């Protein structure tokens, strides 16, 4: 398995696709997806565009859907919830489909949705993603960090490194970014909450009063669910 890391969706090569793409958005989209599917949500359908989300979700019975909208770290007005993993309790999400749009995570997914296998990873489900990749043995893997509006995000690249570390000898690094991601994780692995606090998006979320979300997102390997694309833009649980 050869793995490439891209710091943002914009850096993903055009006109090419890997055997498997793994999208990472530790703060907070891919953490929330893993939690929602673990808690019994039937699927997470992602949208770049809020109008499109409202149009498609309107075709679902109200009691079987949740509209999840985040812009700038805050809940989109009129939506059922924002992007906090802590809101995804079984009481709230079980048996429901999440219609979700976030600033960066859902955009990163759109960039690689044509790949034959698309997974999402966060720190919380890193080991589960490692095991799925070990089982499937895709030849070429792209780990796509969501970043923030086209810029590097410390926490996503650290999570890419965590994934590479978990894969160990099973993976070779395809680009310098992969080597750098691994080194970043090795440096911070015992201090991930501090890394999230230093990260620019972590600081943005702290200003919005989301310290509990940072604590949750800093946990490693506590969920066994892997969100996996089962139809274009639709993620379901693979455990
Ligand atoms: O950018 C995103 O996709 C979100 O995860 C950002 S936030 O953490 O919900 O603010």
């Amino acid at each position: 398995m050869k793995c490439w890391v891209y710091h943002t969706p914009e850096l993903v090569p055009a006109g090419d696709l890997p055997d498997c793409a793994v999208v990472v958005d530790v703060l907070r989209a891919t953490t929330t997806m893993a939690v929602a599917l673990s808690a019994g949500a039937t699927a997470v359908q992602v949208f770049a565009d809020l109008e499109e989300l409202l149009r498609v979700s309107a075709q679902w019975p109200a009691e079987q859907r949740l509209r999840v909208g985040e812009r700038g770290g805050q809940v989109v007005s009129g939506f059922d919830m924002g992007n906090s993993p802590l809101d995804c309790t079984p009481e709230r999400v079980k048996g429901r489909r999440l219609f979700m749009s976030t600033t960066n995570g859902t955009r990163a997914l759109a960039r690689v949705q044509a790949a034959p296998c698309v997974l999402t990873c966060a720190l919380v489900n890193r080991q589960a993603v490692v095991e799925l990749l070990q089982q499937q043995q895709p030849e070429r893997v792209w780990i796509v960090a969501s970043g923030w509006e086209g810029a590097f995000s410390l926490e996503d690249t650290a999570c890419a490194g965590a994934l590479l570390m978990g894969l160990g000898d099973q993976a070779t690094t395809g680009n310098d970014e992969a080597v750098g991601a691994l080194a970043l994780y090795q440096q911070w692995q015992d201090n991930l909450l501090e890394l999230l606090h230093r990260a620019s998006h972590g600081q943005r979320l702290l200003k919005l009063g989301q310290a509990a979300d940072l604590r949750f997102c800093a946990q490693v390997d506590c969920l066994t669910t892997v969100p996996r694309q089962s139809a274009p833009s639709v993620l379901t649980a693979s455990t």
Side-chain angles (χ1 to χ4, degrees), residues 9 42 84 161 189 199:
T42 54
S84 172
Q189 59 185 320

Side-chain angles (χ1 to χ4, degrees), residues 25 27-29 70 72-73 83 102-106 148 201 205:
D25 186 7
L27 294 174
R28 295 166 292 176
E70 168 277 326
N83 190 21
T102 68
T103 310
N104 304 287
T106 53
W148 183 266
H201 187 47
L205 289 172

Side-chain angles (χ1 to χ4, degrees), residues 9-237:
E10 289 75 12
L11 291 170
V12 165
D16 190 14
L17 282 172
D19 301 302
C20 182
V22 183
V23 171
V24 179
D25 186 7
V26 172
L27 294 174
R28 295 166 292 176
T30 60
T31 303
T32 298
M33 288 169 189
V35 175
L37 292 173
S38 302
T42 54
V44 178
Q45 184 165 358
V46 297
F47 296 82
D49 181 56
L50 293 170
E51 293 305 314
E52 175 72 353
L53 183 159
L54 291 173
R55 193 186 62 73
V56 174
S57 60
Q59 294 155 24
W60 282 69
E63 67 283 4
Q64 287 172 29
R65 72 170 186 234
L66 277 172
R67 290 168 169 155
V68 179
E70 168 277 326
R71 289 294 180 269
Q74 293 182 292
V75 186
V76 176
S77 150
F79 278 56
D80 298 309
M81 36 193 274
N83 190 21
S84 172
L86 298 177
D87 287 342
C88 294
T89 57
E91 297 70 34
R92 197 122 193 240
V93 305
K94 196 163 180 209
R96 292 175 185 249
R97 185 180 187 97
L98 270 58
F99 294 85
M100 180 180 203
S101 181
T102 68
T103 310
N104 304 287
T106 53
R107 215 159 43 92
L109 274 161
R111 179 66 194 81
V112 290
Q113 72 168 13
C117 169
V118 179
L119 312 176
T120 72
C121 181
L123 292 169
V124 290
N125 67 342
R126 180 280 306 250
Q127 182 59 26
V129 177
V130 166
E131 286 167 20
L132 191 60
L133 290 171
Q134 283 170 338
Q135 243 172 52
Q136 309 265 313
Q137 290 291 328
E139 231 171 87
R140 299 170 70 238
V141 177
W142 288 359
I143 307 173
V144 182
S146 298
W148 183 266
E149 294 181 340
F152 174 89
S153 274
L154 194 58
E155 68 281 9
D156 292 342
T157 298
C159 183
L163 188 53
L164 289 167
M165 186 145 165
L167 288 168
D169 292 346
Q170 304 239 0
T172 57
T173 47
N175 59 0
D176 288 359
E177 287 88 333
V179 180
L182 197 48
L184 182 67
Y185 183 68
Q186 281 164 339
Q187 174 76 20
W188 285 91
Q189 59 185 320
D190 297 325
N191 224 348
L192 290 166
L193 182 56
E194 170 67 15
L195 177 137
L196 296 193
H197 276 250
R198 289 229 199 150
S200 55
H201 187 47
Q203 289 179 15
R204 190 176 294 115
L205 289 172
L206 286 171
K207 283 193 193 123
L208 294 170
Q210 307 289 357
D213 276 23
L214 266 64
R215 283 196 295 278
F216 186 87
C217 295
Q219 299 175 96
V220 182
D221 300 341
C222 58
L223 297 176
T224 55
T225 298
V226 180
R228 181 178 188 155
Q229 186 175 262
S230 50
S233 306
V234 178
L235 299 151
T236 48

